[in-house]
Amino acid sequence: MTGFYAFIFDMDDQQYMFESMFGAASVGYWELDFRGVKKALETIASSGWHDPIQHLYDHPTFMRQAVDSMPVLKMNEKARQLFGVEETDMEGLKFGRFIPAGTETVVAANLVAYLKGESNFENETVLNALDGQPVEVLISASFPRKDGFCNTLTLGTVDISYRKAQDRRLARLEAELAHSSRVSTLGELTASIAHEVNQPLGAVMTNGNAALRWLNRDVPDLEEATVALRRVIAEAERAAQIIERTRSLAKKGEPKRVACELHDLLADVENLVHRKTSSMGCELVVDQPSTTVWLTADPIQIQQVLINLIVNAAQAMRGQAGRRLITLSTTVSGELATFQVRDNGPGFGTSSAECLFDPFYTTKDDGMGIGLSVARTIVEAHGGAISACLDASCGSIFEFTLPCAQGLGSRSFPS
Ligand code: ADP
C-alpha cells in the first residue's frame, strides 16, 4: 500500500455505492464528529487567543480533552478489524480510547493543519486498539469543509506495523554489521594501541620508582616525591583515556545522535590511528578546521568511517617506494561539512569507484570487503553522501559529507 485513493461522488445518486466502498475498502476509514473540537477551538479563539498554533502546542491537555470527547460516528470493516472494534462497541465510542498518552503532539499537528485551512494531513503514528495494544499506522486526516465549516473529520488508517518491524530489524542488522566491521578494524589497530598504552604505563613505573627513592632518602624529599606522584596520576589518566577510546569503538551500542565537535572527533581519530599508520611507514596529516564545527552524529560511527578510510589508504600504499602520505581534511560550506581522506598510493586501478562500496568487494587477500559498504550505510543514515575518485596526479580521494548540527553550524574561533 503506497497511497490513498479519493473517490468523490454525488452523494444523492451514489450514496449506496459510496457506502459499500467505504465498508469494503482495504484502508481503515473512520468518520469522527468534529463539532465539539471545532467549538472548543472557537471558544479559546474568542478569549483573546493570539497565536492559535502555539496555544495548541502549549496546552497538550486541551488537545487531550478535545480528542477524548470526539465521538466516533463510523468505522469501516477494515478499521474495526485493525482496532479490534465490534459493531456492538460503536455505541458512544470516543476517539480518545484509541489515542495513547504522549501522542498529543500528533493530534496537535492534525489540528494545526485544520487551523491552517489545509484540507488533509498525513503522518505516521501509534494508535491503540480497543484492548490497548499499540498499532502503528499511517493516518490521513481529511477536513471536508461545507460553507467553510468542517463538522466531520474523515480518517484513513493503514497498518504499517509490519513495515516498521522490518525497518527496525534492518536497523538492528545494520548496527550489528557496523559493529563487526568496527571490531575487525580494531583488530588492525590492536598492536599499535597496545604500544600506545605501554608508553604511559612505562612512565608510571619510572615515576613511581622515583617517588619511592625520594621517600626512602635519609631525609625524605616530599616535594620531589609529590612531583613524581603527580606525574604517575597524569600518565595513568592518559592510559585510561586510550583504553576508553578503544572501549568505545569496541562497544556494541544502539546508534545515537549527539552534538559533537569536529576538533575532538578528529583528535580522537588521530590518537587511535597515528601509531598504526606510522608503523606502516605512512605520514598522517590531519588538517583541523579553523572554525568550531558542530555535527549531530554518532561520533563512534563517524570515527569508524574515518579510521576505515585511513587504514585502507595505508594498506593501499603498502610496499610503495617513496613518501606515503595520508591527508585528512575537512571543509565546511553552509550547513554541510565535507571530510576528505587523500593518499598518494596506486589508486584503485580499473575498478569503478562505485563498486568499491559494494558489500564484499575486496582486492586484499585478507580483506572482508565490508568496510566501505558499512561506511556508506553510516554516512547515508546521517543524511550525507560518500564517494571515491582518483587523484589527477596519483592516489585516491575518498570524500563524504555530513550535515552540520541545525543552528550550530560553524563558528570562527575567538581571536
Ligand atoms: P577491505 O578493506 O576488507 O578490502 P573495504 O570495503 O574497506 O574492504 O575496501 C574495499 C576495496 O576498496 C579494497 O579491497 C580496495 O580494493 C579498495 N580501496 C579502498 N580504499 C582504497 C584506497 N585508498 N586506495 C586504493 N584502493 C582502495
Side-chain angles (χ1 to χ4, degrees):
M1 179 73 217
T2 52
F4 291 93
Y5 294 92
F7 300 93
I8 299 164
F9 295 97
D10 175 336
M11 293 296 276
D12 290 338
D13 295 344
Q14 307 286 343
Q15 186 71 28
Y16 171 73
M17 210 158 131
F18 175 81
E19 289 289 340
S20 45
M21 287 195 66
F22 181 86
S26 59
V27 174
Y29 282 115
W30 307 59
E31 242 181 61
L32 307 171
D33 187 341
F34 199 55
R35 286 173 302 176
V37 176
K38 203 182 67 183
K39 202 159 170 215
L41 291 171
E42 282 161 8
T43 312
I44 303 176
S46 62
S47 56
W49 189 17
H50 296 306
D51 184 349
I53 292 170
Q54 191 55 46
H55 187 96
L56 280 180
Y57 283 116
D58 291 346
H59 297 84
T61 45
F62 164 77
M63 285 175 297
R64 185 75 243 178
Q65 284 161 3
V67 175
D68 275 352
S69 57
M70 190 155 39
V72 179
L73 301 175
K74 271 185 200 166
M75 289 173 85
N76 72 350
E77 204 178 316
K78 183 71 191 176
R80 284 211 307 275
Q81 191 191 352
L82 197 55
F83 293 92
V85 177
E86 300 291 338
E87 202 51 89
T88 47
D89 298 319
M90 290 298 291
E91 178 79 37
L93 190 60
K94 300 287 193 297
F95 190 50
R97 288 283 299 272
F98 303 91
I99 307 285
T103 50
E104 283 80 10
T105 47
V106 179
V107 179
N110 278 280
L111 295 186
V112 165
Y114 167 72
L115 286 170
K116 283 182 174 168
E118 286 164 22
S119 54
N120 51 32
F121 183 76
E122 226 176 73
N123 58 356
E124 288 183 3
T125 188
V126 179
L127 296 180
N128 276 347
L130 210 54
D131 63 2
Q133 285 302 310
V135 187
E136 287 173 295
V137 281
L138 170 69
I139 61 173
S140 174
S142 311
F143 314 106
R145 283 179 169 83
K146 205 172 178 198
D147 303 327
F149 298 108
C150 167
N151 290 330
T152 318
L153 176 68
T154 319
L155 216 59
T157 45
V158 178
D159 184 4
I160 52 168
S161 314
Y162 180 72
R163 201 198 79 201
K164 286 284 183 190
Q166 293 290 79
D167 286 353
R168 281 191 288 271
R169 213 171 83 83
L170 190 63
R172 243 188 347 264
L173 287 175
E174 276 176 354
E176 273 172 25
L177 186 61
H179 179 251
S180 322
S181 158
R182 219 155 51 223
V183 170
S184 111
T185 310
L186 261 184
E188 292 280 338
L189 302 180
T190 320
S192 57
I193 290 170
H195 198 254
E196 187 94 339
V197 180
N198 264 342
Q199 274 198 334
L201 291 186
V204 165
M205 291 282 285
T206 314
N207 285 292
N209 284 326
L212 277 181
R213 279 197 303 276
W214 291 118
L215 292 174
N216 284 335
R217 284 188 160 195
D218 293 341
V219 183
D221 190 332
L222 294 183
E223 215 166 286
E224 287 293 348
T226 308
V227 171
L229 286 174
R230 288 222 168 92
R231 278 197 210 114
V232 167
I233 294 169
E235 292 297 332
E237 271 171 7
R238 210 178 112 203
Q241 277 168 9
I242 298 166
I243 290 166
E244 183 47 38
R245 274 199 298 271
T246 316
R247 217 170 62 90
S248 309
L249 266 184
K251 239 184 351 207
K252 204 172 193 171
E254 290 284 306
K256 56 183 178 187
R257 292 287 180 275
V258 293
C260 45
E261 210 283 307
L262 203 50
H263 286 86
D264 297 341
L265 198 135
L266 295 178
D268 276 350
V269 168
E270 190 174 7
N271 278 324
L272 277 163
V273 89
H274 78 99
R275 192 165 290 279
K276 167 80 181 170
T277 48
S278 65
S279 75
M280 294 176 77
C282 301
E283 200 182 317
L284 173 65
V285 177
V286 179
D287 275 346
Q288 287 277 10
S290 55
T291 53
T292 37
V293 181
W294 287 92
L295 305 169
T296 306
D298 184 326
I300 297 300
Q301 287 197 331
I302 303 306
Q303 280 175 28
Q304 172 179 1
V305 173
L306 288 168
I307 291 172
N308 194 265
L309 297 181
I310 293 169
V311 171
N312 271 349
Q315 287 173 341
M317 293 189 286
R318 205 168 5 208
Q320 174 179 303
R323 195 180 181 201
R324 302 175 195 171
L325 180 65
I326 305 168
T327 317
L328 164 59
S329 57
T330 49
T331 48
V332 180
S333 164
E335 292 297 303
L336 211 60
T338 304
F339 297 72
Q340 194 183 74
V341 176
R342 180 188 279 261
D343 65 63
N344 64 336
F348 36 84
T350 51
S351 322
S352 88
E354 262 312 293
C355 76
L356 305 182
F357 296 92
D358 286 347
F360 308 117
Y361 174 86
T362 182
T363 53
K364 300 171 196 165
D365 292 342
D366 55 350
M368 292 205 292
I370 57 167
L372 289 180
S373 86
V374 166
R376 170 164 279 179
T377 310
I378 291 174
V379 169
E380 289 179 354
H382 279 77
I386 186 166
S387 60
C389 65
L390 289 171
D391 195 325
S393 48
C394 69
S396 314
I397 302 173
F398 285 79
E399 206 171 78
F400 68 92
T401 54
L402 289 181
C404 295
Q406 287 260 309
L408 291 170
S410 66
R411 255 171 260 145
S412 294
F413 282 130
S415 48

